[in-house]
Amino acid sequence: MSRLAGQRIVLGISAGIAAYKSAVLARLLKKAGASVRVVMTEGAQAFITPLTLQALTGEEVRTSLLDPQAEAGMGHIELAKWADIVLIAPATADVMARLAAGMADDLLTTLCLATRARCLLAPAMNQAMWSHPASQRNAETLKAFGWQQLGPDAGEQACGDVGGGRMLEPEDIVAALDAALSGHSPAPGTLPLDATPEHDDHAPAPDAFMADDADPATGALAGQHVVITAGPTREAIDPVRYLSNHSSGKMGFALACAARDQGARVTLISGPVALATPEGVTRVDVVSAVEMLEAVNASLAECDIFIGCAAVADYRLAEVAEHKLKKVSGSPGLTLSLVENPDIIAAVTHRQSPPFTVGFAAETRELARHAHDKLVRKRLDLIVANDVAAPGLGFGADDNAAVLYYLDPDQPDNPATSHTLSPRAKQDLARAIIDYMLPLYRGHQITRSPVCS
């Protein structure tokens, strides 16, 4: 049974072309067992009719701030108290700006100010609008207010542009919500997802990734800057298609939380994933391997520990097609010319004064041999190897196992020392990896400068 079963969700729809996806989203939420009530802005009704959403949810769609048919004519308060989750999808640049400014000039923005439910939004706008400093500032403001951001995705847009700003697909939004219910912590100012929002005596739940005895102010990594890469990269073929892999980003995000819990200042550089940004972590979203390398280089000025957990594509197209490639009937096939992507890990470890560097090796056979080769060839301080062919572990799964390898600096010619971590939740595995890394990092601090040049 889906974790969404029984959840009371207010689905807010603002005025973007992606509103057509909201009909599918409403249907999927209902199918998962959630109770869904829809609130539409005036502009949203130009893209999709309230009648469509009413038919899909079985509930009257709300559009008016002062609805005489609502409880005491105060529909915003009624909905604010009813909701366990408020989800705005699509969230346009306009509605994000109004929420960031604390405006309450329609039903949707007013109930968002009045609710104590968990609030999430799925941005949807033109790529230039999304990258504008005002939109980025508003997104950061909303995160500080406690909003969790789902997406946006990147790709071809309705206007013909290509880039970031696309609303996540409805299936990805539902998956992200379901994942949040499995243990992701509520953001500041929100309640646990299973709390009853009408009552004032519910304190926010502790972070699901926070160890019981963790104290960030005095943690073992207090004052250290940890840079982590996570998720897949996408290499464009044309404006519609891309090369990628099955990485979900869960392991990298769990490591970011584990490092944060030990007091580190964490920069999380993520490829396209449907995961909420962990509280207290600075997130940088990228799409391609080249973009990830640029973000990594920009973050290394004061980097103490670098953890390369991302599944970076080995190759990219030599030339990206300007328009969608069309299938030609009777043709023998399609040949793609690929070039090698930059090696991000090697770029870090081959710096004049590299940080302590942890790499990952996702293998399907000969785990020890491939991990040891990568450990030596890329000059890593520690490598985390896992068998992604093992059932129920690795890409996309909630659990994982790993074998950790490192070379003794006093005996570099000896075989790598290994330590096996048995299958467990990725949050627990992340904590174990950080715990194992700490004494190695302390030794690194003694023998080498911890600050990158």
Side-chain angles (χ1 to χ4, degrees):
M1 177 180 293
S2 170
R3 299 179 183 91
L4 290 168
Q7 294 295 319
R8 296 175 296 188
I9 301 176
V10 168
L11 175 59
I13 304 175
S14 59
I17 185 61
Y20 77 91
K21 296 183 181 180
S22 301
V24 179
L25 178 57
R27 180 177 62 82
L28 292 176
L29 292 172
K30 287 287 291 184
K31 186 177 180 180
S35 296
V36 181
R37 294 184 183 180
V38 174
V39 172
M40 301 180 71
T41 65
E42 181 178 356
Q45 298 169 62
F47 293 92
I48 186 171
T49 67
L51 184 60
T52 299
L53 279 304
Q54 181 174 319
L56 290 170
T57 63
E59 298 282 352
E60 180 184 359
V61 174
R62 303 290 184 85
T63 60
S64 175
L65 176 57
L66 298 176
D67 185 352
Q69 296 182 353
E71 177 184 333
M74 301 293 284
H76 59 290
I77 299 299
E78 176 194 353
L79 285 169
K81 290 183 176 181
W82 176 83
D84 297 318
I85 302 170
V86 173
L87 168 64
I88 303 180
T92 61
D94 174 72
V95 80
M96 290 179 65
R98 289 191 288 127
L99 288 169
M103 296 179 67
D105 55 352
D106 63 5
L107 176 57
L108 182 58
T109 53
T110 302
L111 80 87
C112 288
L113 284 182
T115 192
R116 296 184 68 239
R118 174 173 285 188
C119 296
L120 306 97
L121 55 83
M125 64 196 74
N126 168 267
Q127 56 85 22
M129 296 173 67
W130 173 246
S131 62
H132 193 282
S135 296
Q136 293 301 304
R137 179 196 61 202
N138 291 335
E140 291 303 315
T141 298
L142 290 171
K143 289 177 185 178
F145 287 168
W147 284 83
Q148 292 178 304
Q149 182 177 299
L150 307 179
D153 205 344
E156 187 175 20
Q157 299 183 322
C159 60
D161 285 0
V162 177
R166 283 168 52 103
M167 188 174 96
L168 287 180
E169 294 303 315
E171 295 81 2
D172 294 332
I173 293 174
V174 172
L177 281 173
D178 191 76
L181 286 163
S182 70
H184 285 258
S185 67
T190 63
L191 294 177
L193 279 165
D194 58 354
T196 305
E198 287 90 337
H199 301 295
D200 293 331
D201 56 353
H202 286 282
D207 194 319
F209 289 160
M210 181 75 80
D212 291 339
D213 57 352
D215 182 357
T218 58
L221 292 175
Q224 306 300 295
H225 182 203
V226 178
V227 177
I228 301 173
T229 63
T233 62
R234 291 179 179 175
E235 310 303 327
I237 297 174
D238 59 23
V240 177
R241 306 175 182 91
Y242 55 82
L243 301 174
S244 192
N245 55 65
H246 296 295
S247 175
S248 65
K250 292 179 181 179
M251 193 69 242
F253 276 59
L255 284 164
C257 293
R260 174 208 61 195
D261 292 349
Q262 288 288 357
R265 174 168 65 92
V266 180
T267 298
L268 176 61
I269 301 171
S270 176
V273 298
L275 297 174
T277 304
E279 179 186 346
V281 170
T282 299
R283 176 172 172 175
V284 179
D285 288 318
V286 299
V287 176
S288 68
V290 171
E291 290 178 1
M292 183 169 284
L293 176 61
E294 291 174 352
V296 167
N297 286 335
S299 70
L300 289 178
E302 296 178 347
C303 169
D304 300 297
I305 299 172
F306 178 82
I307 303 177
C309 188
V312 181
D314 293 323
Y315 297 93
R316 68 183 187 277
L317 269 291
E319 185 174 351
V320 178
E322 182 179 356
H323 300 288
K324 178 181 176 182
L325 297 174
K326 306 300 291 185
K327 179 180 178 181
V328 179
S329 298
S331 66
L334 176 67
T335 299
L336 299 177
S337 178
L338 303 178
V339 296
E340 193 171 356
N341 263 328
D343 189 327
I344 296 175
I345 287 283
V348 173
T349 59
H350 286 68
R351 294 172 68 89
Q352 184 175 0
S353 298
F356 182 92
T357 306
V358 181
F360 273 68
E363 305 293 345
T364 58
R365 59 176 182 162
E366 298 185 80
L367 187 70
R369 184 172 72 85
H370 289 307
H372 186 272
D373 173 70
K374 189 172 183 179
L375 176 70
V376 175
R377 177 168 43 86
K378 298 199 176 184
R379 304 182 187 178
L380 298 170
D381 296 290
L382 176 67
I383 192 165
V384 181
N386 57 350
D387 182 356
V388 294
L393 301 177
F395 289 142
D398 292 327
D399 296 341
N400 206 353
V403 183
L404 279 54
Y405 298 90
Y406 76 97
L407 292 173
D408 187 335
D410 296 326
Q411 304 179 56
D413 295 329
N414 288 354
T417 300
S418 65
H419 177 70
T420 300
L421 297 174
S422 59
R424 65 195 74 185
K426 286 182 176 177
Q427 301 97 309
D428 296 331
L429 186 68
R431 296 191 194 103
I433 291 170
I434 295 297
D435 287 345
Y436 188 83
M437 179 198 76
L438 286 171
L440 301 178
Y441 174 57
R442 295 188 189 103
H444 173 276
Q445 287 178 296
I446 293 172
T447 59
R448 297 160 66 184
S449 170
V451 179
C452 305
S453 61

